[in-house]
Amino acid sequence: MARAKVVALSMVDKHPEPQPLLAVKLSPAENPTAEAGADAAAPINSSALPAPEPEVVPTVSLTKVFRNLLAQITRERITTAALACVSIGALFLFWYIGTKYRVEFYIRFKNVPTPYEVFQQLTQVGLSNKYLVNIAISVRRILLGFFIAMAIGVPLGLAIGKYQRVRDLFMPVVEILRPIPAIAWVPMSIMLWPNNEASIVFITFIGAFFPILLNTIHGVHSLDGVLIRAAKCLGASEFRLFLNVILPGSLPHIFTGLAVGMGVAWVSLIAAEMISGQFGVGYFTWEAYSLVDYPAIVLGMITIGFLGLACSGIIRMVGSLLMPWLAFAPGGKR
């Protein structure tokens, strides 16, 4: 057993200074902290450390990708796709029966081309670039007019819906211009803009602007006031109030306005191309009517319908990505 060594210190009689009376020197067995310090100062043997585990690189298997794709194909989606095919097939079946038997019971199919004749027209037109160029020009016009309408209509609708003074300033002008159909703007747009391209884009903008604006205003008005008051009580600034409360709460109505505005924009675009255009699907259809080419007329109409369907589908897909909470709303797909 280790012994402690005691050292005696001399004491001064007068005015002694405070000094420790005893200094104890402990052995390593009785001083575990010193032993721990010694162990920490000792070099560590690298061979005693565990070997690092090798990094696992994730691999992509075609089987896993195929299983993920199959997992996304649910019964609900199969039913939706089947019903869509049934509705479109019923439309083409009605067209085929009417043209085959030349039905003339109030609706006359005497001069209407058959589906096969329209398909032949598609194969003939598809060999040239004229048909594809007209589609590309119409898509470019619709995108320009629609995005300009969205960039102006959504912020203006949010401001009109939120602030009374902005509503008092802009709504009288909106209510005066809104009843004017887009087709009535064709002569005025020709006089206002320097070329036909700008005038057609302007008419497309007019067709999409008012549905987007009015649905955005309605979205702000339908927002629950408790949410706005709660955000203000929590100290939200005006920018945060718009970004985190008003805009997300108005998104369902905004996307409804975008879908309606896209449909009206296509109607306005085709009318403008028929009257003053030189290219585009509308001009292609009107030119076929002037040349009494009935299969080309039906082909132009079908092309317009499928382009509108594609644009509306893209808008709905973007809306479902930006608003995932709607899947849990009543009637949503959970």
Side-chain angles (χ1 to χ4, degrees), residues 232-261:
K232 289 182 178 180
C233 292
L234 293 175
S237 62
E238 198 71 16
F239 176 75
R240 287 293 179 184
L241 186 65
F242 267 98
L243 186 63
N244 297 331
V245 179
I246 296 178
L247 182 59
S250 305
L251 275 182
H253 293 84
I254 291 175
F255 273 91
T256 301
L258 293 178
V260 176

Side-chain angles (χ1 to χ4, degrees), residues 83-147:
L83 292 177
C85 294
V86 167
S87 63
I88 297 176
L91 178 62
F92 277 90
L93 180 62
F94 175 75
W95 175 23
Y96 171 75
I97 293 175
T99 54
K100 179 178 178 58
Y101 296 101
R102 300 299 176 182
V103 177
E104 293 189 10
F105 181 73
Y106 192 75
I107 300 176
R108 298 175 299 174
F109 285 88
K110 183 178 180 179
N111 296 322
V112 177
T114 62
Y116 180 71
E117 292 175 350
V118 176
F119 178 75
Q120 283 184 331
Q121 182 68 28
L122 176 61
T123 57
Q124 293 175 3
V125 172
L127 297 177
S128 63
N129 293 330
K130 181 179 179 181
Y131 179 67
L132 298 178
V133 168
N134 287 325
I135 292 177
I137 291 176
S138 293
V139 171
R140 184 189 65 186
R141 289 168 177 171
I142 200 75
L143 291 180
L144 283 175
F146 179 78
F147 279 111

